[in-house]
Amino acid sequence: APHMYVTILHALDLESGQSFLNIGSGNGYLSCLASCLLGDCGLSHGIEINESLVSHCRDSCTRWFDTILERRNEGEGDLPCVSSEGVSFVHGNCFDIDVPRAESSCKYDRIYIGAGCPEKHLEFFFSLLADDGVLVVPVHERNELLKIRRILGSVYSTTHISNVHYAPLVKIPAIRSNNIMHM
């Protein structure tokens, strides 16, 4: 639903230079909108399980960036400052992200999950979120879109955004009884 893009972007509260991870990036539209807010120093990463969508997304983004640069060269000055180097998409399952490696190199300022996430898997995404970071997530069991801000370490605040119904994340790994994930 188109109005959800506005709702999500408002909740993410993106600022220039931040890093953004879009889980289930789909056609890349939200990632492109986010890149306008992140500016040419921001990072917008998308991960999508559907390989054909990733190819489509990369092609569409390349055309979009080329059009913006062409219009800038023709003298239009009111265009967003974006960089094609700041937006990337990968094909894969978000649960295959190497969390220890990601934690040591880049925690994200903002994360959006574009599919219903089981509550028991939120901790996985918290591990990718920087302090003072924001996670916008539809919690599957509750049909509720939440904004979760990581204050510092394991201190979080949660805000209800709206009631929603999203298709569930696919290929979710099992969780062992001791709450340690395996893939």
Side-chain angles (χ1 to χ4, degrees):
H3 74 281
M4 287 307 293
Y5 289 117
V6 175
T7 300
I8 292 159
L9 288 170
H10 183 265
L12 287 168
D13 192 25
L14 294 165
E15 296 179 13
S16 181
Q18 290 180 327
S19 57
F20 170 59
L21 176 61
N22 187 357
I23 304 289
S25 54
N27 63 13
Y29 186 69
L30 180 66
S31 293
C32 285
L33 293 175
S35 72
C36 291
L37 299 169
L38 297 169
D40 55 359
C41 293
L43 291 175
S44 178
H45 295 161
I47 185 165
E48 172 59 49
I49 203 157
N50 182 324
E51 191 170 12
S52 64
L53 276 176
V54 174
S55 296
H56 169 77
C57 192
R58 287 178 180 149
D59 293 342
S60 296
C61 285
T62 298
R63 285 193 308 275
W64 183 69
F65 284 114
D66 289 348
T67 300
I68 287 177
L69 293 174
E70 182 181 316
R71 289 173 57 193
R72 259 200 223 139
N73 290 337
E74 292 173 357
E76 281 188 59
D78 61 346
L79 296 168
C81 292
V82 294
S83 166
S84 58
E85 292 83 29
V87 178
S88 65
F89 302 93
V90 296
H91 167 247
N93 184 332
C94 63
F95 292 108
D96 290 338
I97 293 172
D98 182 347
V99 174
R101 184 173 170 210
E103 285 179 324
S104 69
S105 62
C106 172
K107 287 202 170 196
Y108 290 93
D109 299 304
R110 302 294 187 261
I111 300 173
Y112 169 66
I113 302 174
C117 180
E119 196 162 5
K120 65 185 178 186
H121 286 283
L122 289 176
E123 191 66 37
F124 176 81
F125 297 105
F126 292 159
S127 67
L128 300 171
L129 190 62
D131 285 338
D132 198 34
V134 171
L135 169 66
V136 175
V137 55
V139 177
H140 187 66
E141 298 89 347
R142 298 195 266 168
N143 290 328
E144 184 177 25
L145 186 64
L146 299 177
K147 175 181 180 176
I148 303 171
R149 179 177 294 277
R150 177 183 227 155
I151 307 297
L152 183 64
S154 61
V155 178
Y156 297 89
S157 68
T158 302
T159 306
H160 168 87
I161 298 171
S162 67
N163 293 325
V164 294
H165 182 74
Y166 278 60
L169 283 168
V170 296
K171 297 186 180 178
I172 300 172
I175 293 181
R176 293 183 194 150
S177 60
N178 64 358
N179 248 6
I180 298 174
M181 287 196 179
H182 63 90
M183 306 208 191

